[in-house]
């Protein structure tokens, strides 16, 4: 507890242990004389608010520096200190060390961010799967329909059958890539490889697979 000038009038043993002084040594000192001097101006403002308003100031989040130089998160509550006539003569404060709770809160926040990132990655992954499976599946379905058309030539049937085979290969290759991604956590740098590809060939392959479907739909 302090007077109207934020000079300490007394404290309990726990407060004295945190400061690293005896109770007698703390009496007569301000927060500017204690280990948390860098925060003292802020504490003084809170004290003056309570003294001027005559109302408690509750659940104030503060950081103090203890005798070991450690930063501790505390939750402070300050109320007016009155004499027997009810006049305000200072403030009475209680600080609760919530450092452990703060650490848990930070860990939960990190876990929440990680979960949200995983959810976003899952959405992107599903979107990619949908896209990468749709093209070969469309090719298989479209080419199967094309084979049912009676007036196509034997040469076209052979070509469409080969395209169905190619589409199946594409699906199998994609499935293997998905399995590789699932086990990616076990990869090390020596297992990673960089490969080039022919973008023109990829585009032409897609056109080649989609073309029979467009022909059937046109018919």
């Amino acid at each position: 507890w302090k007077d109207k000038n934020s000079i300490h009038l007394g404290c309990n043993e726990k407060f004295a242990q945190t400061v690293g002084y005896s109770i007698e040594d703390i009496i007569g000192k301000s927060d500017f004389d204690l280990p948390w001097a860098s925060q003292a101006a802020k504490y003084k403002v809170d004290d003056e608010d309570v003294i001027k308003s005559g109302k408690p100031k509750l659940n104030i989040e503060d950081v103090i520096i203890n005798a070991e130089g450690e930063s501790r998160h505390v939750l402070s509550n300050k109320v007016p200190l009155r004499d027997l006539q009810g006049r305000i003569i200072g403030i009475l404060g209680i600080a609760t060390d919530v450092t452990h709770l703060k650490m848990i809160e930070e860990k939960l926040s990190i876990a929440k961010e990680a979960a949200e990132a995983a959810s976003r990655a899952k959405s992107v992954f599903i979107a990619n799967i949908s896209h990468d499976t749709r093209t070969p599946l469309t090719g298989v379905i479209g080419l199967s329909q094309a084979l049912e058309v009676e007036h196509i030539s034997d040469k076209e049937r052979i070509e469409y059958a080969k395209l169905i085979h190619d589409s199946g290969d594409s699906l199998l290759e994609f499935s293997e890539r998905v399995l590789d991604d699932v086990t990616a956590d076990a990869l090390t740098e020596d297992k990673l490889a960089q490969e080039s590809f022919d973008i023109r060939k990829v585009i032409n392959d897609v056109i080649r697979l989609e073309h029979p479907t467009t022909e059937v739909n046109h018919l």
Side-chain angles (χ1 to χ4, degrees), residues 12 20 22 31 34 53 60 66 75-76 81 89 104 110 123 126 135-136 154 157-158 168 178 181 196 209-210 213 219:
N12 61 15
S22 67
D31 287 312
L34 302 180
S53 69
I60 311 167
N66 63 16
L75 206 59
S76 301
L81 181 64
I89 59 173
I104 293 176
I110 293 173
S123 298
I126 291 175
T135 297
D154 290 341
R157 290 184 188 279
I158 293 173
V178 170
D181 287 341
S196 60
L209 288 174
E210 296 285 356
T213 304
L219 293 174

Side-chain angles (χ1 to χ4, degrees), residues 44-110:
K44 186 172 175 61
V45 170
D46 291 334
D47 294 348
E48 291 173 348
D49 287 345
V50 173
I51 292 170
K52 290 178 181 179
S53 69
K55 297 179 180 179
K57 196 165 186 177
L58 308 176
N59 298 323
I60 311 167
E61 291 191 18
D62 283 326
V63 177
I64 65 170
I65 309 298
N66 63 16
E68 286 74 35
E70 300 172 332
S71 295
R72 308 295 295 180
H73 293 273
V74 297
L75 206 59
S76 301
N77 295 289
K78 297 182 178 182
V79 298
L81 181 64
R82 300 176 184 272
D83 61 14
L84 295 176
Q85 287 71 42
R87 294 173 299 193
I88 296 176
I89 59 173
I91 66 103
L92 175 67
I94 298 176
T96 304
D97 191 328
V98 293
T99 304
H100 181 63
L101 294 177
K102 198 73 175 179
M103 291 173 61
I104 293 176
E105 182 181 277
E106 290 175 356
K107 288 180 179 179
L108 288 174
S109 177
I110 293 173

Side-chain angles (χ1 to χ4, degrees), residues 124-177:
V124 172
F125 182 68
I126 291 175
N128 287 338
I129 285 181
S130 299
H131 177 270
D132 288 348
T133 57
R134 185 178 292 114
T135 297
L137 279 176
T138 300
V140 169
I141 294 172
L143 291 165
S144 299
Q145 291 175 334
L147 286 174
E148 295 174 356
V149 177
E150 296 181 356
H151 66 267
I152 65 172
S153 66
D154 290 341
K155 181 180 178 181
E156 288 175 319
R157 290 184 188 279
I158 293 173
E159 181 183 353
Y160 290 173
K162 184 180 183 303
L163 289 173
I164 290 175
H165 181 270
D166 291 345
S167 296
D169 279 346
S170 295
L171 280 173
L172 179 59
E173 181 184 352
F174 176 70
S175 299
E176 290 174 347
R177 291 207 312 270

